[in-house]
Amino acid sequence: MKVGIDIIEIDRFNKIANDFNKLKHIFTENEINYFFNYNNALQHIAGNFSAKEAVSKALKTGFSYGISVLDIEILHDNKVPKVNLKGRAKDLFEKKGYKNIDISISHNNAMATAICIIEE
């Protein structure tokens, strides 16, 4: 089992929350559309970023080795977060023979956190 965890201050995203050009360098269109279905979009932005960080840590790469922040997409199915890997992140996941990836996200007014567990 591989585990990654991240915690982040939500205020760090104040500057980019209303700047679509900056958001699209970090998040996919699906993720951005999800954020703005909520009044507290900032919490969801920070939560998704924390989830991306947690996934990159569980993969044991961080955002290096050619893995882009956009290679990790956090989707939601009935408010349950799901990881959709793309590009080099997906290639690495498959190359390592990993079987499953789970993510959990939590946030309050000040902090967002996420944990990722990858089953080998």
Side-chain angles (χ1 to χ4, degrees), residues 36-113:
F36 295 104
N37 283 325
Y38 294 91
N39 290 333
N40 57 351
L42 198 57
Q43 291 176 352
H44 293 277
I45 291 168
N48 265 38
F49 186 80
S50 185
K52 288 174 180 255
E53 286 279 2
V55 171
S56 74
K57 291 173 183 177
L59 289 170
K60 306 298 183 206
T61 64
F63 290 113
S64 57
Y65 302 102
I67 292 179
S68 163
V69 69
L70 294 172
D71 287 343
I72 301 169
E73 182 178 46
I74 308 299
L75 303 174
H76 295 79
D77 184 13
N78 293 321
K79 297 189 180 184
V80 176
K82 306 281 184 195
V83 178
N84 181 36
L85 298 177
K86 302 174 179 189
R88 295 187 91 147
K90 182 178 180 180
D91 293 344
L92 177 63
F93 186 88
E94 292 171 351
K95 179 181 176 185
K96 297 279 187 177
Y98 296 147
K99 294 177 178 40
N100 190 40
I101 186 167
D102 284 315
I103 192 83
S104 181
I105 303 169
S106 187
H107 48 74
N108 61 22
N109 291 330
M111 305 294 286
T113 188

Side-chain angles (χ1 to χ4, degrees), residues 12-28 31-32 35-36 45 49 52 69-70:
R12 286 183 56 192
F13 294 89
N14 278 328
K15 292 180 182 176
I16 68 163
N18 294 313
D19 187 335
F20 182 75
N21 286 327
K22 289 182 181 177
L23 283 174
K24 71 180 185 178
H25 290 292
I26 302 170
F27 301 104
T28 67
E31 290 171 312
I32 293 168
F35 302 150
F36 295 104
I45 291 168
F49 186 80
K52 288 174 180 255
V69 69
L70 294 172

